[in-house]
Amino acid sequence: MNQDYSINTRCVQAGYTPGNGEPRQIPIIQSTTFKYDTSEDMGKLFDLEATGYFYSRLQNPTCDTVAAKICNLEGGSAAMLTSSGQAANFFAIFNICEAGSHIVASSSIYGGTFNLIAVTLAKMGIESTFVSPDASEEELSAAFKENTRAMFGETIANPALTVLDIEKFAKVAHAHGVPLIVDNTFPTPVNCRPIEWGADIVTHSTTKYMDGHGAAVGGAIIDSGKFDWMAHKDKFPGLTAPDESYHGLVYAEKFGQEGAFITKATVQLMRDLGCVQSPQSAFMLNLGLESLHVRMARHVENGQAVAEFLESQPQVVSVNYPGLKSNKYNGLAQKYLPQGGCGVVSFELKGGRKAAEAFMKNLKLAAIETHVADARTCCLNPATSTHRQLTEEQLIEAGIPAGLVRMSCGLEDKKDLIADLKQALAAI
Ligand SMILES: *Cc1c(COP(=O)(O)O)cnc(C)c1O
């Protein structure tokens, strides 16, 4: 669908245009396999000489339709769905890194991604250096090595809510001849499109706002098509040198700058690792995408109202929300997220763990969950859940005070959410 249409219209209609008499809603092609008349027809698909479907571990029409919508929303050249956000980030990195490679990543990222990079990729021989998202260009540059192959960050980090200076990161990555990968899960393309600011590859946990209803785990990878792999031939042999598993085909030559990255990730990584999204999940994801622009505005409205309310309360030590004037990242938020970021707010209560437990127990609308970005408001106290193995001292060291609560504001009426917070604060 034409990019001249507003993103609101593209959320509803991009990716699928039915022909005369065809279904209005995207068909769920619940089939593992596809039928061909001759072995020759099928052989061409296996040799990547023809395009078409043969096995849903590699490609499925329903998943491709939804990927095409997300690709359109992010302004990319090609996209694919994955089974989860973790798989998306793993594939995005592993598509251009191998044993002996090194990556530079922002230290302010999702815990699962931090573990993926610091522990699991390290076991596979991929080294990493973590940098502060606030570091200067010179400091960021100093983290690069001869074998650095990618830079990684999150537009709005989960759960720290730092806002990434995408232009700064892109400039440094490009000066070192490597692509910038940005996880855009929290703002979604409705509120920020990292490719417009210089990011080369965008990833998503579609489990969050894109799905938006806590219904299906999923992920997506979008390529901008703007990174010139051939100009850095020696760094990216996976894309620029022959792949013997496809008779010596060179992805960057055969599929060009715009198609090489996603084609390789599909026909090689998906073939060998198989982290596919099911057509059923992709269908549900598309239902979420159709209202994404409407929902994000409400998540932001509620997040902002809750953050402002909490900031005025005596029981609250501090509130972290990039939309607040008092926030360290408000300047970057105004630049990259002019319509707001997302509905996740974190705040510290006076009285530590005990106060947080009492407060959360008394909330009536917000459920205690290890989830964010749901239509229903939810909250979490890291000290008694995700980080409960840490001592008081370790919590302080990790920048997670015992009284910290992360609240993901849903789509309820903000008046009801604030009234709920008021009575729960009074009950501490
Ligand atoms: C949740 C999340 C992930 C992981 O996604 P899953 O779908 O849970 O695998 C990655 N990045 C960010 C920013 C997330 O919030």
Side-chain angles (χ1 to χ4, degrees), residues 82-89 109-113 152-159 183-187 203-208 216-220 370-373 406:
T82 58
S83 53
S84 66
Q86 286 301 110
N89 282 325
I109 53 174
Y110 177 64
T113 312
F152 183 90
E154 287 177 12
T155 314
I156 303 177
N158 176 12
D183 182 329
N184 196 35
T185 296
F186 267 20
T203 58
H204 280 278
S205 165
T206 62
T207 318
K208 311 294 166 53
V217 175
T370 46
H371 190 46
V372 289
R406 180 185 70 187

Side-chain angles (χ1 to χ4, degrees), residues 87-406:
N89 282 325
F90 174 54
F91 275 33
I93 294 168
F94 199 57
N95 207 29
I96 45 173
C97 294
E98 58 190 32
S101 304
H102 169 260
I103 64 175
V104 175
S106 165
S107 58
S108 187
I109 53 174
Y110 177 64
T113 312
F114 186 88
N115 277 326
L116 167 68
I117 293 173
V119 181
T120 300
L121 289 181
K123 283 183 192 162
M124 300 170 81
I126 299 169
E127 297 184 299
S128 52
T129 302
F130 289 95
V131 290
S132 163
D134 305 336
S136 67
E137 282 177 29
E138 293 69 35
E139 289 165 331
L140 293 176
S141 276
F144 280 74
K145 301 181 182 187
E146 203 208 316
N147 57 339
T148 305
R149 295 293 176 263
M151 197 179 197
F152 183 90
E154 287 177 12
T155 314
I156 303 177
N158 176 12
L161 304 177
T162 50
V163 178
L164 189 71
D165 190 340
I166 304 172
E167 281 191 316
K168 177 178 75 179
F169 266 56
K171 189 172 165 200
V172 174
H174 295 159
H176 290 86
V178 306
L180 172 64
I181 304 171
V182 173
D183 182 329
N184 196 35
T185 296
F186 267 20
T188 82
V190 169
N191 285 338
C192 181
R193 290 170 296 282
I195 291 171
E196 291 174 3
W197 300 101
D200 302 284
I201 313 288
V202 174
T203 58
H204 280 278
S205 165
T206 62
T207 318
K208 311 294 166 53
Y209 289 111
M210 282 189 169
D211 170 297
H213 300 76
V217 175
I221 308 172
I222 304 94
D223 178 17
S224 67
K226 290 185 179 152
F227 194 85
D228 188 352
W229 308 107
M230 282 312 233
H232 307 282
K233 217 165 181 264
D234 299 341
K235 283 197 165 101
F236 305 103
L239 289 160
T240 61
D243 179 351
E244 294 313 329
S245 70
Y246 285 106
H247 311 300
L249 169 154
V250 176
Y251 294 99
E253 281 173 358
K254 174 107 184 162
F255 302 101
Q257 196 174 304
E258 306 209 318
F261 188 88
I262 293 295
T263 304
K264 175 179 178 286
T266 302
V267 303
Q268 191 188 73
L269 299 188
M270 217 38 120
R271 177 195 65 189
D272 298 350
L273 300 166
C275 308
V276 283
Q277 188 165 137
S278 79
Q280 284 283 349
S281 292
F283 178 84
M284 283 190 278
L285 168 57
N286 188 59
L287 288 181
L289 291 168
E290 286 180 359
S291 64
L292 184 65
H293 56 301
V294 183
R295 292 184 291 105
M296 286 314 290
R298 176 61 79 89
H299 283 296
V300 166
E301 182 188 332
N302 286 354
Q304 185 75 31
V306 161
E308 284 172 11
F309 166 76
L310 288 167
E311 205 173 35
S312 69
Q313 298 305 298
Q315 299 96 326
V316 178
V317 181
S318 61
V319 182
N320 182 12
Y321 187 71
L324 289 176
K325 287 272 174 296
S326 61
N327 192 274
K328 183 180 171 190
Y329 296 96
N330 189 249
L332 287 175
Q334 284 183 29
K335 173 175 174 178
Y336 292 107
L337 307 157
Q339 304 179 88
C342 63
V344 182
V345 180
S346 67
F347 52 98
E348 185 187 351
L349 290 172
K350 283 182 190 153
R353 218 180 282 245
K354 269 213 166 72
E357 268 179 310
F359 167 77
M360 288 179 27
K361 198 170 83 194
N362 284 297
L363 285 170
K364 295 189 169 66
L365 288 174
I368 300 171
E369 286 172 24
T370 46
H371 190 46
V372 289
D374 192 352
R376 291 143 294 201
T377 295
C378 55
C379 63
L380 184 82
N381 171 229
T384 51
S385 58
T386 49
H387 294 70
R388 66 179 295 129
Q389 74 282 6
L390 304 192
T391 63
E392 299 288 319
E393 293 74 45
Q394 286 173 324
L395 281 173
I396 292 163
E397 233 169 78
I400 303 167
L404 189 81
V405 176
R406 180 185 70 187

